[in-house]
Amino acid sequence: MTPRLLLPLATALTLAAPVLAQDGRAFERIDSNSDGQISRAEIDALRGTVFDLMDSNGNGSLTRAEVEDAQAAAEGRMKQGARRLWRSDANGDGAVTRVEFLAQ
């Protein structure tokens, strides 16, 4: 995956996380043709899904309020993820090792 694709993918994943991760199969949901790779077209489709999620009134356009609401929700999910990550610091040394990370 090229660096150019990483930012749109990361943004879309953050906003779509609640929908994608409902059964732990986020990659499979994005990889719509099941070829084991995520293409630009699949990222664009995900971005369309994210737009639809953010468009809370369904009118086909985003207001500042809808974008800010989506951003606040994404930030809240990221904070929850960070709290879960720090709980895996089993020895309390302020660093999460690979072993601690994988044990969670």
Side-chain angles (χ1 to χ4, degrees):
M1 183 173 296
T2 66
R4 253 176 51 128
L5 296 179
L6 291 178
L7 184 58
L9 177 60
T11 302
L13 286 173
T14 300
L15 293 171
V19 173
L20 292 173
Q22 29 185 325
D23 60 4
R25 297 185 55 221
F27 188 92
E28 291 83 357
R29 289 180 186 282
I30 299 167
D31 182 21
S32 60
N33 63 3
S34 301
D35 67 353
Q37 299 179 41
I38 297 175
S39 68
R40 179 63 196 215
E42 289 164 328
I43 290 172
D44 289 343
L46 176 60
R47 291 178 69 212
T49 299
V50 169
F51 182 94
D52 294 341
L53 289 169
M54 290 177 18
D55 184 16
S56 59
N57 63 7
N59 70 350
S61 64
L62 299 175
T63 64
R64 180 176 298 274
E66 287 171 321
V67 172
E68 289 173 354
D69 288 348
Q71 182 180 9
E75 288 171 0
R77 285 190 297 280
M78 290 183 73
K79 286 179 183 176
Q80 285 178 330
R83 283 192 295 273
R84 280 194 300 275
L85 175 66
W86 289 118
R87 282 196 298 265
S88 30
D89 180 14
N91 63 3
D93 68 353
V96 176
T97 65
R98 180 180 179 81
V99 171
E100 289 171 326
F101 180 81
L102 294 175
Q104 64 175 346

